[in-house]
Amino acid sequence: MAPYETDDSTTAAEADDRHAGRRRAARYVVPVAVVGVAAATIGLVPALADSGDPDLPKISAQALIEKIAASDVEQLSGTVKISTDLGLPDLGGLESSLTSGAMGPDDGGSSADPSTKLTELASGTHTLRVAADGPDRQKLSLLESGSEYSVIHDGKDVWGYDSKSNEVYHATASDSAAAEKEKDVPATPKDLTEEALKAVDDTTSVTVDGTAQVAGRDAYRLVVKPKGTGSTVGQITVAVDAKTGLPLKFTLTPASGGAAVIDAGFTQVSFAKPAASTFDFTPPKGAKVTEGDAIEHDGRGAHGKHDGAGAKPEEDLGKSLDGLKVMGEGWNSVATFDSGGEGMPTGSDAGGDLGGFLDSLGDKVTGDFGSGTVFSTRLVNALITDDGKVYVGAVTKDALVKAANAG
């Protein structure tokens, strides 16, 4: 990791990692709603609740960043609570459908597919149980009312199990697509911190701001925030375990103030080796088992069916993203691509009540680029122009219009 200054404006330039992170986030940009963007661009939570402010030796931001990078925790178990408040309107259940991407059996998918199930973390409050024993054995369980969803990685096998529907998803870790499904959605403070640190460059201030106690452990508070204006990110606060360097809690507050966008942190953690049985899984009797490689080979991805020409919706989106460009730098960067079609239908173009509903979700804007609609959350905003171009980023509406004018 590049060296960090140790004064109040500690910075670093890691262009390759930053651009790779943007490319990864851009895979999720769906021009039908900002929901999909927000679900993927998870950046998170309210100020950490201190409990006793432990007295720890002074440490510089550079040293704390290096401590995170050097953390070699491979064995742990614990409980994580994550709350997400993107400020989306009440869509009467549509919001959860969009963010989860859940598909029924007729759509060729499985309710146990990690790539659809874990995106439910993009809204509401959830409790997770996590366990890890080295790089080849991990388990994450999403606890729900009266049911549980688990993803288990044990050697070459990746299992997803939804107790509510009694469905099982299975793939092998040697299948790169299946392996990525398990990793696509950041779900722990460590995942979120790694993503956030990719954005650290000379537009970023990184400081150490006191101490905290999280899950009964002493921690330092690392604060990362944009130096300039234009970003919707206020600041990110990470509680870093003083002994192991493991991020215990991740906090992102929006520049607009108010409640945090997401609060993700351990409520209990142990660094003892989990029991081997934690990672054992056998499909329950009567469960429907879907093989991940069978879905891929049959051409019916977990996100939809063939259309009449044999193409899948995500393939069309993928073609659009081939022309993806990133405008600007650091926290004010904006991803843009051409959706290949017309913009979001609104008003009379969409017809009746639907047009009015879509109008209520966005703000019409005009500029040198023409006209379009901005769809907003408390973190991520997207401008869809009337001729089908998309501009998206964790930036203000004015910044999107400026980018569209320049584009």
Side-chain angles (χ1 to χ4, degrees):
M1 182 170 288
Y4 285 70
E5 297 173 12
T6 57
D7 61 12
D8 288 342
S9 58
T10 303
T11 63
E14 294 186 317
D16 290 342
D17 283 347
R18 185 171 73 255
H19 293 163
R22 290 177 187 151
R23 287 194 296 270
R24 183 181 177 202
R27 290 185 293 130
Y28 300 88
V29 177
V30 180
V32 294
V34 178
V35 176
V37 182
T41 318
I42 259 178
L44 325 174
V45 258
L48 296 167
D50 288 353
S51 178
D53 291 343
D55 186 14
L56 297 173
K58 296 291 185 182
I59 189 171
S60 68
Q62 175 182 346
L64 190 53
I65 290 288
E66 291 172 350
K67 191 176 185 70
I68 295 173
S71 179
D72 59 357
V73 173
E74 291 194 342
Q75 297 175 334
L76 65 80
S77 59
T79 303
V80 174
K81 183 177 180 180
I82 178 169
S83 297
T84 311
D85 179 11
L86 291 167
L88 297 171
D90 182 2
L91 303 182
L94 178 61
E95 173 185 331
S96 59
S97 297
L98 289 169
T99 54
S100 68
M103 308 295 280
D106 291 341
D107 295 300
S110 168
S111 67
D113 186 339
S115 67
T116 61
K117 188 67 178 180
L118 292 183
T119 50
E120 290 182 11
L121 300 179
S123 64
T125 298
H126 304 275
T127 299
L128 309 173
R129 280 204 301 257
V130 298
D133 183 11
D136 296 325
R137 306 183 91 185
Q138 300 95 31
K139 181 176 181 178
L140 183 151
S141 296
L142 173 59
L143 308 183
E144 301 173 312
S145 178
S147 63
E148 181 174 321
Y149 173 77
S150 294
V151 182
I152 305 101
H153 174 205
D154 185 11
K156 65 180 181 62
D157 293 305
V158 176
W159 297 95
Y161 176 58
D162 184 359
S163 69
K164 186 175 183 178
S165 63
N166 199 28
E167 290 194 25
V168 174
Y169 174 92
H170 174 250
T172 58
S174 59
D175 176 356
S176 59
E180 281 301 307
K181 290 178 187 294
E182 183 188 12
K183 302 172 185 176
D184 275 347
V185 181
T188 67
K190 181 176 183 293
D191 297 333
L192 298 167
T193 300
E194 289 175 348
E195 290 300 309
L197 291 181
K198 290 178 182 179
V200 172
D201 61 8
D202 58 6
T203 69
T204 308
S205 166
V206 185
T207 59
V208 178
D209 183 20
T211 63
Q213 194 168 77
V214 177
R217 298 187 65 87
D218 293 347
Y220 291 101
R221 291 164 51 105
L222 182 71
V223 176
V224 179
K225 58 184 177 182
K227 284 183 176 179
T229 60
S231 174
T232 55
V233 176
Q235 71 175 39
I236 293 170
T237 306
V238 182
V240 183
D241 186 67
K243 184 174 182 180
T244 67
L246 180 74
L248 298 174
K249 191 167 185 176
F250 183 95
T251 302
L252 180 149
T253 51
S256 59
V261 176
I262 300 179
D263 180 14
F266 281 97
T267 58
Q268 180 274 327
V269 65
S270 168
F271 297 112
K273 179 183 176 71
S277 59
T278 302
F279 310 100
D280 293 340
F281 181 78
T282 300
K285 184 177 180 180
K288 175 189 174 182
V289 179
T290 300
E291 292 292 336
D293 56 354
I295 291 179
E296 296 297 329
H297 293 163
D298 151 315
R300 293 161 59 92
H303 297 287
K305 300 185 285 186
H306 289 302
D307 62 19
K312 294 182 289 182
E314 64 269 27
E315 290 176 345
D316 293 336
L317 178 60
K319 291 177 182 177
S320 298
L321 293 181
D322 285 343
L324 180 76
K325 296 188 300 181
V326 176
M327 306 172 66
E329 296 180 346
W331 299 90
N332 292 333
S333 61
V334 173
T336 179
F337 65 94
D338 192 332
S339 66
E342 297 182 355
M344 180 76 74
T346 57
S348 60
D349 293 337
D353 294 339
L354 176 59
F357 174 68
L358 292 175
D359 281 342
S360 71
L361 295 181
D363 297 323
K364 293 294 292 184
V365 294
T366 59
D368 295 341
F369 68 90
S371 61
T373 305
V374 173
F375 296 90
S376 302
T377 71
R378 299 175 65 220
L379 183 66
V380 179
N381 294 326
L383 166 59
I384 304 175
T385 67
D386 290 347
D387 59 358
K389 293 184 175 60
V390 180
Y391 298 85
V392 61
V395 297
T396 63
K397 179 171 68 175
D398 290 344
L400 286 178
V401 171
K402 183 179 180 181
N405 287 336

